[in-house]
Structures are given as structure tokens and as C-alpha cells.
Amino acid sequence: MKKLSIAVLGLLLVSGVVFAGGKAEGGAPAYPTKGITMICPWAAGGGTDAILRALSAAAAKQLGQTITVENRTGGGGAIGHAAIKNARPDGYTLGMVTFELNSLPQQGLIDFTYADYDPLIRVNADAATLTVKADAPYNSVKEFVEYCKQNPGVVSIGNSAPGSVWHIGAGLLANETGIDVKHVPFEGAAPAVTALAGGHIQAVSVSLAEVKSQLDAGNVKCLGIMDTKRSALYPNIPTFIDQGYNITYFTWRGLALPKGIDPAIRETLTKAFTAAMQDPEFVEQAKKMNLDLAFLPPAEFNAFLKENFDAVTKTMKAIGLVN
Amino acid sequence: MDFGLIFSSIAPVFAPENILFILLGATGGVLIGSIPGLTSTMGIALLIPFTYGMTIIPSVGMLLGIFCGAMYGGSIAAILIKTPGTPAAAATLLDGYPMGQKGEAGRALAIALFSSFCGGMIGALLMTFLSPFISRMALKFGPAEFFTLAVFGLSVIISISGKSLVKGLISGFFGLLIATLGMDKVSGYLRFTRLIGFYEGVPFIPGLIGLFALSEVYANIENILKSEKVTAKISGVLPGWQDIKAIARSVVTGGFIGSFIGAIPGAGGDIAAFVSYSEAKRSSKHPEKFGTGIPEGVAAAEAANNGCTGGAMIPMLSLGVPGDSNTAVLMGAFILQGFQPGPMMYVEHLDIIYAVFASMMVANFAMLIVGMCGVKLFAKVISIERKLLIPAIMVLSLVGSYAINQNMFDVYFALVMGGVGYLLQKYEFPLSPILLALILGPMSESNLRRFMQIDNGQFWRIFTKPICVIFLVLAVASMIVSVRNQRKINKRVARSGGDAAE
């Protein structure tokens, strides 16, 4: 099924590029005629920056113009997201939006939502995991839940920052399974994983890519992944659904435009970036970064954003992050 | 050890084109480091896309060149224009700038270069031979350990306070206070602000530029037209034998302190340099001369921050845990090349590990060569007429404040901090304690609260952790010794008529 959809997508892409070439000659406004700016709300050198630079390089080949990545950082992502929303809607500025777009508004940290953008495509979606120390006495999500129930308020789960994607993920887990745990925020996922490997906390709820090096070294073990399917790289890690818990939870990244862009330009951009997502060089880069590419076209991405926003809001309320 | 493997893996590092890449990186690093606001992290991050098409050895070599070069580059601005080019060079200016003002800019630069090289080599050697051992120690650092490390770091404030301990403490507490601004790192609530630019706390680099560079610009406006030029005597591109003998001990101790602190994830060159400076002052026969422009001060700081480069690589390579922000970005470069740093790296790609070790040493030599070529050129900056130099520093400072986040808010913040720094200096409050507090305040606060959360608020448990006890004892000892030293210094100064420490 998946292979088929990829094949169909590939075909669409090829025809898309051909048609795009055809249309430009047919009198549509010439676009793009100059370099494009891509706003990254996170710092240069980080995961978002790396994937965005690779994707931009692939899309630049399609568009025949350079794409410059601009890191507009600060405010926990708020500044960059605002910059994308407020950019001039001429198609020469767009940016990468990330999970935080759906968790900052509820906390009153930004005064706009996904609805203030023109979503382009979803790029990747990485599931949360439940990862514990290798020598921990529990070997499945069920055993972990039972342990937490017998020892309420003892287990500390590390996450990447207060109100962050993995904090909400761990909150979802605690809420759905009815366990009482301590949520300990760190400054990013890496310090949390290190604290786990050093035995200072008992679990982390971060993505598979973020625990990979410690997992390979046998310092930690992954009890479950909050995905709909198992990871291709680690097929023996069961999903939560496999273990009888109906929990799925992802962080995601996508591209978005400011509102009010000429539909023809949006179409050109959609086609270029859709094609870029299939570029072998880009796919290779994503694979090296252990990212799960999860393409969604504009309409589906928009629907996903709404669904995700509602789910995140519900969890945040349930765990008391917002009223 | 398999010597065959070692030789076959390091051979490509010495290929001419590879050496060229490392030299290019080191040149870029020295330049980036010397411009306040452009950090080595930024330089490495911006060059990573250029390494997509390269193989692992030249790309890592080039990035390591930037890393090492920038660590030295930071001292150039500190010595010449009283602004640390990178945060790690903040301790260098304590003695570097006074040396420059005495007409010894060339000597200070040469000492900084020599100490950077030696510190860097100590770090690289420790990294080569002790990685697996030291990395095990890094894992032992949990929230409680980080908290006590930060407390130890804060105790250094006393020895960098200058003449008045009270004024130093006031500066330090002012820094701690503004460090609480922004989003609470544990609960996520906003403290003392609704401004989006303060969400992540006060912008560190713009604050540093404001405090050190812009305050100097404002102060110089007062006498911009009275041009009292400082001319730099340049005796050589490397320190003389006398100087080397004088600084040898500070350099070696600094290199080790730097490597050790660098190996602790989350503690970087800035902390290392201050701790090493404080140690050099403590163990010196003439502590009263520190802060007046003496070679040991520059050497201790520079050896430590370059020792950090090797130290920070240790947990990155062997645990997959970056030691500081530079190595975090470097780790990204490894992953993009298809190598996941971490324990498996030593099993699966030992050849790459050896090549990285060799590249690190070559990068230090490259830094030495680039620095030696540059000393004469850089030292000329100080002889530029003030009415030309001051506006240039102003422009550089504003550009630097903007560059870090591409955000105008940071520029306004830097301008305000410039005013704060100007007033503080006018009334003889030292500025370095503010900087140290800005680095260590958030680190001590969030780790203390994390520790209390994990251990259910039982603070006494901190005394059951050996590393914590060691740091707490060190902190108390360092405070007592510094206060005693300060008293002695004051007495000695009073006896000699008060000119020695002026």
C-alpha cells in the first residue's frame, strides 16, 4: 500500500514538474525570478536547521533559484514563527514551522495559531518513545506502568523543556495510563538522555533518533514507540498500540507560507518542495539523521495541523499545563 | 593498540589538500573569533552545508580548524579593544587589555597564542589517550553535580572582583538577578517580563557585547578627540624565553583545568577560563599584580579555554553527548556524514576516531601558524586613531548583536547594557562577575530545582554524593583563600603607597 502510494506520488511529481515547466511558458507570472528566503525558527546547527538546509538545497534545484536559510531564533521558537507569518506574501519568503506552533498559543506565548498560515507540506513526523535504563526491572510498557502504580511519585521522566513536545508526550502517557510520575525538564533532549544513561532519572520520552547512540551502545532500552507502525531501523521495538495502549504521539516539522499568496506561486512551491522530498540526496540526508519523512500535501497538512492542535490542547489541559 | 591501524587512519589527515582545509578553517576561525558576536558555534554551523559534498576527514578537519582558531581569535578582541571576541575570552581581557594599554599588545597576543596552542595540545593529547576513562566520569554528572559545579564557579567571583570585594559581589548579584528574567526553566512560567526577546532569558551574547564593547565606546566618546594613541611594541610573534618561563606553570595547569571542565557536558571554555585564572592568581607569588596586565593572567585564561576544545570532544565522541555548543554542532556534522558519535563509534569506526585525534592536533598547529602570521597585523589595530577606531567598534558591536538571532530586540538590549556597563565602570564596579553570574546563574538554579524535584526536596542528599561534596569543599576553600589573599593584597598595596594595583 505504502509503496503504491509512493509510486503514485512519484508519478504525480514527475508530471507536476513537466506541467509546471509548461505553465510558465503559457503566460503565468514568472516565478521565481530571484533568490528565496527560508526562515528557520531554530538555531543554525540544530536538527531543524540541518533538515531544512538539505531540503532547501534539493528544492533550489527544482526552482532554479537559490534558497537562503535564515535562522530567526529566540523566544522558544516564537520569534521565527512570527517572522514567517508576518513575511511579505510574495512567495519569496517562507519558513519551517514545527510542533511548537501547536503548543505555544495555549501557554499564551504567541498570539497566533496554525490558522494564520498557508500550510505547504509536512516534512517529517517522529514518534515519542518510552526509554529506560538498560538494567531497569521493567521490560514492557505494561511492566513500567505497573511499577509506577506500585511506587507512585517515585519515577522521574526527563523531557526537553517545560511545555515542550516531550513534556506533553510524557504527560499524555501518564494521563492515559493513570500513573503518578515526576516530569523533569532539561535543556534539550540530549542532556535528558545523558541523565538517563547516568542513572540520574528513570526514563525519557524523547524520539528514537535522540536516544539512538545510547540505545546502540546498550546503555538504555526502548520499551515502546508511540507510532502507528514499527520503526524500519528497529523492528523489534513494539509500538504502544502493539502493547494494548492506544497512544500515538509525534513531533513534526513542515513548511508554511504567510497568508495571501498568489495560488499559482503556491502551486509552484508545492510542486518544487514535493519533488525535493523525493530527491535521493535529501532522502539520504534524512536517513542519516534518523528522521522519519512523513510527507503530507497542503490540504492534508492543514487538516493534520488542526487535529494535532486539538489533541495537544486536550493533553495540556489534562496534565495541568494550561487551564 | 593496533599501530598499523593508527598509521593507516591518520595518513589521510596529512594529505596536502586536507592540511589546506584545516588551515582554511583555522584562518576563518581566528577571524570569526576576533569579531565580537560572531561565535565559533555560528562559524561551524554555517560551514556545515559546505561539507555535504566532502568526505568525513577534510570536513571534520576544517570544522575543527574553526573551533580551535576561534578560541584563540576571541583573545585578540579582548586584548585590543577590551571586548571578548567569544565568551570564552572574557577572562583574557582582565590582564590582556591592561597589557595592551601599556604598549605590550604584541607581547600579550604572542602569549595568548602560545598559551592557546599549548592548552589546545594538552586537551588534544588527553582526548587521545584518556577519552574512554574521562567519558565515564561525564556520565556521573547529574543535576546535583552540575549545581555544585556552578556554585564552585560562582565562588571564583571573589578572585575576579578587583579592588573591592563588596563591589564585586554587588556586580555578581546584579548578574544573578537579571539571569532570572524570562521563562522559568522548570515550570515554564514567565518571570519579570512579557517581552518575547526575554523568553529564553537575557540574550547572552548581546549582553556581553553591550557590557564590554559598547560601555567602552560610550566611555571613549568623552575623550574621542583627544587622541592619545597607544603604540604597540612588537618584539616577536612568539613570547620570549623569559615570558615562557614565567607562564609555564599557568599554561600547564590551565590546559588541564580546561580539558577537565570541557569534558563535563554543559560547562564550556568561559567557565574554564575563569576558574583557571582564579587558580593562577591563588597560587601566584604576587597575586596583587593580577588585573594590572601580567602575562600569567593571559596565559592561564587562554590555555584553559583552548584546553576545553579537546576536553569537550571527549564526551561527544565517546558518549554521543556534546561537551559544549561547538561540539553539539560538530556532532551534527558527524551525523550528516553518516557517523553517529557515541560508544559504538570506538567499536565500528576506530579509524575515524584516530583521524579526528590527528586532525585536532594539526588544527592546533594550523592555529599557531595563522596566529603567528597575524600577530603583527592584529596589534596594529591598537594604534588606529581613536576617532576612527571607536565608531568601527560601535558598528561591529551592533552587527554582532544582531547576527546572533537576527533580531533587532537584541541590538536595543546591547545598547542598554552598554549604558549599564558604562555607569558601573564609572563607579568602579567590575564587569566580569556579571558575566560569570549570567553563565552560572541559570545553570545553578535549574539544576538545583531539577535535583530537588528528583530527590523530593531532600537537600541533605547532596552530601551523600562524593562529587558534590568535593565541589562544595572546593568552593568554600576557594572563597576563604581568595578573601585572605585579598586582605593581604590590600595591606601590601597600602604599604607600597597604593601604586602597585592601580
Side-chain angles (χ1 to χ4, degrees):
Chain A
M1 186 61 210
K2 203 184 156 208
K3 276 201 182 130
L4 186 74
S5 59
I6 287 175
V8 171
L9 200 70
L11 233 110
L12 278 173
L13 292 178
V14 174
S15 55
V17 173
V18 173
F19 282 121
K23 244 187 226 162
E25 281 158 24
Y31 172 87
T33 55
K34 56 175 183 176
I36 295 171
T37 302
M38 176 70 84
I39 294 174
C40 174
W42 303 99
T48 305
D49 178 70
I51 190 76
L52 186 54
R53 280 178 199 270
L55 181 63
S56 299
K61 280 191 265 176
Q62 302 289 331
L63 290 166
Q65 290 288 349
T66 54
I67 301 181
T68 316
V69 175
E70 224 181 82
N71 302 85
R72 302 284 295 268
T73 50
I79 289 173
H81 280 100
I84 301 168
K85 179 185 76 92
N86 298 331
R88 189 184 302 177
D90 57 3
Y92 288 99
T93 308
L94 70 160
M96 181 158 253
V97 290
T98 59
F99 173 87
E100 287 68 21
L101 178 59
N102 276 349
S103 68
L104 290 174
Q106 297 91 326
Q107 302 174 69
L109 297 173
I110 54 175
D111 53 8
F112 50 88
T113 66
Y114 68 90
D116 294 300
Y117 295 83
D118 211 342
L120 200 63
I121 57 164
R122 187 174 75 176
V123 176
N124 73 302
D126 283 275
T129 62
L130 177 62
T131 305
V132 299
K133 229 179 161 261
D135 54 10
Y138 21 78
N139 288 308
S140 67
V141 175
K142 191 156 180 267
E143 286 173 27
F144 178 80
V145 168
E146 271 162 16
Y147 180 87
C148 291
K149 282 194 172 149
Q150 277 157 20
N151 305 284
V154 168
V155 170
S156 297
I157 304 185
N159 62 61
S160 43
S164 67
V165 54
W166 304 132
H167 185 182
I168 301 167
L172 178 71
L173 167 71
N175 194 45
E176 293 281 317
T177 55
I179 55 175
D180 176 16
V181 292
K182 293 179 279 192
H183 299 288
V184 185
F186 284 80
E187 272 126 69
V193 177
T194 314
L196 174 67
H200 304 284
I201 52 175
Q202 285 75 44
V204 293
S205 52
V206 305
S207 76
L208 201 51
E210 286 157 334
V211 294
K212 187 177 183 294
S213 67
Q214 296 299 337
L215 191 62
D216 290 347
N219 290 337
V220 300
K221 62 185 173 192
C222 213
L223 300 183
I225 179 162
M226 301 185 196
D227 206 333
T228 47
K229 53 169 200 330
R230 293 188 182 208
S231 153
L233 213 55
Y234 297 94
N236 46 3
I237 300 174
T239 65
F240 272 62
I241 298 171
D242 289 342
Q243 304 182 57
Y245 295 92
N246 193 15
I247 303 174
T248 53
Y249 186 77
F250 304 88
T251 187
W252 51 264
R253 299 188 181 104
L255 299 177
L257 299 162
K259 273 228 182 277
I261 294 234
D262 184 331
I265 291 179
R266 193 179 58 192
E267 198 51 32
T268 311
L269 283 170
T270 309
K271 278 173 184 155
F273 280 97
T274 309
M277 287 284 294
Q278 305 292 318
D279 186 293
E281 227 170 282
F282 170 72
V283 174
E284 183 63 27
Q285 296 277 20
K287 201 173 145 198
K288 281 180 187 166
M289 295 167 63
N290 304 307
L291 287 178
D292 259 339
L293 292 182
F295 173 83
L296 282 182
E300 282 83 345
F301 183 34
N302 200 14
F304 166 81
L305 283 172
K306 185 176 174 353
E307 183 197 330
N308 182 256
F309 181 82
D310 294 341
V312 170
T313 310
K314 198 178 134 212
T315 309
M316 289 177 96
K317 279 186 182 154
I319 61 174
L321 264 173
V322 290
N323 298 320
Chain B
M1 276 188 168
D2 177 356
F3 286 98
L5 178 67
I6 295 180
F7 285 118
S8 68
S9 12
I10 65 171
V13 175
F14 295 95
E17 67 270 21
N18 195 52
I19 302 272
L20 185 71
F21 275 119
I22 297 178
L23 269 172
L24 271 178
T27 314
V30 171
L31 289 177
I32 288 170
S34 63
I35 300 173
L38 300 187
T39 61
S40 48
T41 315
M42 211 192 270
I44 298 172
L46 293 181
L47 269 193
I48 283 183
F50 292 96
T51 65
Y52 286 168
M54 293 157 67
T55 56
I56 177 101
I57 292 173
S59 48
V60 168
M62 184 169 77
L63 299 177
L64 286 177
I66 299 177
F67 187 19
C68 297
M71 272 293 178
Y72 162 66
S75 70
I76 300 173
I79 291 167
L80 299 176
I81 59 174
K82 206 186 178 182
T83 305
T86 58
T92 311
L93 73 78
L94 294 172
D95 274 290
Y97 183 69
M99 278 186 84
Q101 291 305 296
K102 286 195 280 188
E104 294 177 346
R107 184 175 168 218
L109 284 171
I111 287 168
L113 179 63
F114 176 77
S115 316
S116 294
F117 171 73
C118 296
M121 285 309 275
I122 291 174
L125 287 170
L126 285 180
M127 170 175 109
T128 306
F129 294 107
L130 296 177
S131 268
F133 308 101
I134 296 182
S135 64
R136 248 174 266 153
M137 175 203 77
L139 270 189
K140 294 217 162 68
F141 272 74
E145 285 79 6
F146 279 118
F147 164 67
T148 48
L149 169 68
V151 169
F152 169 58
L154 283 170
S155 73
V156 167
I157 285 183
I158 297 176
S159 58
I160 55 168
S161 283
K163 272 177 286 179
S164 162
L165 188 56
V166 175
K167 283 184 176 171
L169 287 176
I170 292 175
S171 287
F173 280 108
F174 170 70
L176 286 176
L177 184 69
I178 59 173
T180 60
L181 234 72
M183 206 184 283
D184 180 327
K185 287 205 165 60
V186 174
S187 72
Y189 286 106
L190 285 179
R191 299 193 291 206
F192 308 125
T193 185
R194 294 296 306 174
L195 293 171
I196 206 168
F198 283 140
Y199 277 11
E200 292 175 356
V202 292
F204 179 65
I205 303 277
L208 171 128
I209 292 175
L211 273 178
F212 288 94
L214 288 173
S215 70
E216 204 58 18
V217 169
Y218 299 162
N220 271 292
I221 292 173
E222 292 175 356
N223 51 11
I224 192 163
L225 293 176
K226 283 180 262 154
S227 86
E228 31 166 304
K229 259 197 304 189
V230 184
T231 39
K233 290 183 298 231
I234 296 166
S235 38
V237 292
L238 281 178
W241 183 238
Q242 281 305 21
D243 277 344
I244 291 182
K245 263 200 289 188
I247 62 175
R249 212 168 54 115
S250 308
V251 167
V252 174
T253 329
F256 277 96
I257 291 178
S259 313
F260 175 76
I261 293 184
I264 301 168
D270 33 27
I271 303 177
F274 276 114
V275 169
S276 162
Y277 181 87
S278 165
E279 166 59 24
K281 184 176 175 182
R282 187 197 63 75
S283 59
S284 166
K285 283 194 205 92
H286 42 78
E288 73 278 6
K289 285 193 187 148
F290 275 75
T292 63
I294 61 164
E296 290 101 304
V298 175
E302 276 305 303
N305 66 29
N306 279 75
C308 234
T309 53
M313 294 292 285
I314 294 172
M316 191 271 262
L317 285 175
S318 50
L319 292 177
V321 176
D324 66 355
S325 58
N326 289 293
T327 40
V329 178
L330 269 174
M331 193 167 132
F334 274 91
I335 294 175
L336 278 173
Q337 293 278 350
F339 298 94
Q340 176 86 41
M344 295 313 282
M345 191 85 177
Y346 278 78
V347 181
E348 288 165 1
H349 304 291
L350 201 56
D351 53 329
I352 301 290
I353 297 274
Y354 287 140
V356 171
F357 292 159
S359 303
M360 192 81 188
M361 291 182 207
V362 176
N364 272 296
F365 275 102
M367 175 194 80
L368 186 68
I369 293 165
V370 172
M372 277 162 58
C373 299
V375 165
K376 288 188 180 172
L377 195 69
F378 301 140
K380 288 213 174 91
V381 169
I382 211 161
S383 322
I384 297 173
E385 255 187 88
R386 206 168 268 178
K387 58 180 185 247
L388 297 175
L389 183 62
I390 298 299
I393 295 177
M394 175 101 186
V395 171
L396 269 183
S397 304
L398 297 184
V399 170
S401 316
Y402 182 76
I404 200 91
N405 281 331
Q406 309 211 12
N407 187 354
M408 270 315 279
F409 179 87
D410 291 350
V411 178
Y412 302 136
F413 179 69
L415 286 168
V416 171
M417 286 312 278
V420 172
Y422 169 70
L423 287 176
L424 285 174
Q425 272 194 310
K426 197 140 197 157
Y427 295 99
E428 296 186 323
F429 285 90
L431 295 178
S432 312
I434 303 182
L435 188 69
L436 201 61
L438 279 179
I439 298 166
L440 296 171
M443 180 172 161
S444 58
E445 191 213 338
S446 52
N447 280 300
L448 171 64
R449 292 178 57 194
R450 224 169 264 152
F451 157 63
M452 297 296 262
Q453 208 181 352
I454 293 172
D455 272 344
N456 296 323
Q458 292 166 301
F459 186 78
W460 59 269
R461 285 213 193 162
I462 209 159
F463 301 109
T464 65
K465 297 171 195 275
I467 298 178
C468 297
V469 174
I470 294 174
F471 276 125
L472 288 175
V473 168
L474 277 177
V476 173
S478 124
M479 274 189 266
I480 295 173
V481 171
S482 309
V483 171
R484 265 208 201 148
N485 264 350
Q486 193 67 31
R487 275 206 202 126
K488 250 189 262 167
I489 291 168
N490 289 348
K491 258 187 222 157
R492 219 182 284 179
V493 172
R495 239 182 294 142
S496 65
D499 53 295
E502 284 305 306

